Structures are given as C-alpha cells and as structure tokens.
Amino acid sequence: MAGLGLAKASMAADEAARPVVVASKVDGEGALLGNLILLVLERLGVPVTARLQLGPTRIVRGALTAGEIDCYPEYTGNAAFFSGTDADPVWRRADSAFAAAKAFDGVRGLVWLKPAPANNTWQIAVQGGLARAERLATMADFAGAVRRDLITLAASAEFVESPAALPSFERAYDFVMPRERIVMLPGGDTAVTLRAAAQGISGVNAGMVYGTDGAIAALDVAVMTDPAGAQIVYEPAPVIRAPILDRHPEIGPALERLFAGLDLATLRRLNGQVAVDGDTPAAVARRYLGGLAR
C-alpha cells in the first residue's frame, strides 16, 4: 500500500511538471498571438513547449481535441463551423458568439478564455480619398456608392462566391456588386487587395480585408463598418484544455488580462510590425510585453 501511494504521488508530480504545449496556426497573427501566450506562461513560471505555426485551423484544432497540444489562439467565429451552426445569428454578435463557443467546447473539456476586443472578420476597405470625398464609413454607405457605379473591388474568388462573404454583405445592405466591376485575384492575400485599393491599381478603389490586417494602418484606406452584422464575429481568444487550468489556475487571469489589451488598433499595429516592417512575431511579442511591464 505504501508503495502504491508513492507511485501515485510520483505520477502526480510528473504530471504537474509536464510542460504545457502551446501551439498556433501558421499565419502571422496566429504566430504573434501564440508567442504572446508562450511568453506570458514563461513569465508565470509554467513549464512550456512551443509548437508554433503548427498548421491551418483543421490541423491545430485536431491536435487540441486529441490532447497533443494544450493551448492555442482561436477565433470565436470558427466555433460556428466546428459546431455546424454558422447560419445562426448568434455568431454575428461578439458577446453571444463567445458564449456559444464557450458552451460548445465546455462539454469537450476545452475552455475559451475571454477574447480580445478585435474583430478579424471579412471587411471591405475603400481608397481613402474616395471615402473622404463621398463620406463612406459604413457598408450602407458603400452600398450607395456601388449603386452610383463608383466602386471597383479587388477580391478573391472565395470572397466573391462564398455565401458568408460578399453575398452576405449584399443581402444585408440591399445591393449587388456588378461582377464586371470586380477584379478577381487568385488566392486570398489581403495585402494585395489592400494595396490595389489604396494605390488604384487597375482602376481598383476597394478591396477585401480582414479586420486586424497589419497593412491597414500603413495605407490610406477606410475600412467600412458593418452595423447590420452581416459577418460572423471573429475575435481571437486563448482556448485551453480544462485539466491544464486545473493544474495552473494562474494561467486564466493572466491570459485574459493580456487579450483584454489587444483591441483593434493595437492588434493592427502589432500585425503591421510583422507584415509591413518585417519583424518576427517573436520579436514583436517580446517588445509588446516589455512595454506593458514598464
């Protein structure tokens, strides 16, 4: 009996000492957020192993549910697709999207910590000069400009054809973007569509973007707001296995404080340091946390 007790104690000690495996998706923002999580855990004295830029959503999510990784940054809106409920309007409001994601994964032993107040959803950016001249600030304004034949849009085939993207905007704001006024680009590189919109390349004056794109702050563009909630909300949040939080309860409050400070302007600025200035995600993360410590 004494030996059994010692064995159990040893196993518990081994489990407590096991590093927390922090992963991220392969994209720049995923790597930035993954590095921030990793550094915060290191500062807490939590043993960690990094598997940053592990792969796309399918790979990283699968690794989490299989217990191969313990924590990574995900977007609330992706839970709409994990749960097969992407048509539900609950995903088009920040508060209800987070609550729905938390409830869906709670029964799976996964915990969504509070997200950053920054929506990385599909949006449309308009050339700054045109936006100022025509007073374009919202998608309702954009719809009016489309009706006046003022807009030529650069976008990917996915943005144009996916029911969740441009068609969703068209339904919500009662307009039809003429297909002859769309410059269709291969792939989904928003750096290309943003630059085309800002610089008027091939007559383009609007382009698809993601809300937290780093190049937005570096270019003269105005991002149209979506007051009707046409798009699913994609706020980044740490997702972590419940047993890890049980073992290290200090992780939850620390990561929630971190993400609370990552508002839209901050995340665009940090992403810009990676995408525009060429810094590494690790360097940007270290510098940002160093600034918070001062």
Side-chain angles (χ1 to χ4, degrees):
M1 290 295 291
L4 182 60
L6 288 171
K8 287 183 176 180
S10 176
M11 289 175 62
D14 289 345
E15 181 64 15
R18 187 178 71 82
V20 174
V21 182
V22 177
S24 79
K25 300 183 195 183
V26 73
D27 62 282
E29 181 168 285
L32 170 66
L33 295 173
N35 272 285
L36 286 169
I37 291 172
L38 188 73
L39 289 170
V40 167
L41 266 58
E42 286 179 343
R43 291 183 177 194
L44 291 173
V46 174
V48 291
T49 295
R51 294 188 66 187
L52 302 180
Q53 295 187 285
L54 181 61
T57 299
R58 177 180 59 84
I59 297 296
V60 185
R61 169 75 181 185
L64 183 71
T65 56
E68 296 168 1
I69 65 172
D70 297 313
C71 180
Y72 82 101
E74 184 53 273
Y75 296 91
T76 52
N78 277 336
F81 299 95
F82 301 154
S83 61
T85 59
D86 49 292
D88 193 324
V90 72
W91 300 107
R92 286 165 172 78
R93 298 193 315 277
D95 56 348
S96 56
F98 171 61
K102 193 173 181 69
F104 174 72
D105 268 344
V107 297
R108 292 163 176 77
L110 304 176
V111 179
W112 285 73
L113 300 174
K114 290 179 182 177
N119 187 5
N120 194 25
T121 193
W122 263 322
Q123 294 184 288
I124 293 176
V126 175
Q127 191 178 75
L130 176 63
R132 289 187 290 273
E134 297 294 329
R135 298 183 179 179
L136 308 180
T138 73
M139 281 305 301
D141 300 331
F142 179 87
V146 171
R147 297 185 197 104
R148 300 194 302 277
D149 290 328
L150 297 178
I151 301 295
T152 299
L153 175 71
S156 67
E158 181 186 10
F159 182 81
V160 173
E161 296 166 3
S162 170
L166 179 61
S168 182
F169 280 131
E170 291 175 322
R171 289 191 301 272
Y173 295 97
D174 191 26
F175 73 98
V176 175
M177 185 71 214
R179 293 315 186 250
E180 66 271 16
R181 297 188 71 91
I182 299 176
V183 176
M184 200 93 73
L185 300 174
D189 189 347
T190 55
V192 175
T193 56
L194 258 176
R195 184 160 278 103
Q199 299 176 358
I201 298 169
S202 300
V204 165
N205 54 21
M208 70 168 198
V209 298
Y210 292 112
T212 61
D213 272 342
I216 289 173
L219 297 170
D220 182 19
V221 294
V223 178
M224 302 293 99
T225 62
D226 177 20
Q231 294 299 308
I232 288 173
V233 173
Y234 288 87
E235 290 186 329
V239 184
I240 188 166
R241 295 196 308 113
I244 302 300
L245 282 183
D246 292 340
R247 200 163 77 226
H248 299 288
E250 69 275 20
I251 289 177
L255 290 184
E256 290 191 335
R257 283 194 300 273
L258 168 69
F259 274 68
L262 297 173
D263 60 16
L264 188 63
T266 300
L267 206 43
R268 282 179 180 172
R269 175 171 56 83
L270 297 179
N271 283 331
Q273 291 171 13
V274 176
V276 179
D277 300 340
D279 285 354
T280 66
V284 173
R286 281 195 300 271
R287 189 164 58 241
Y288 176 70
L289 288 180
L292 293 181
R294 287 198 296 270

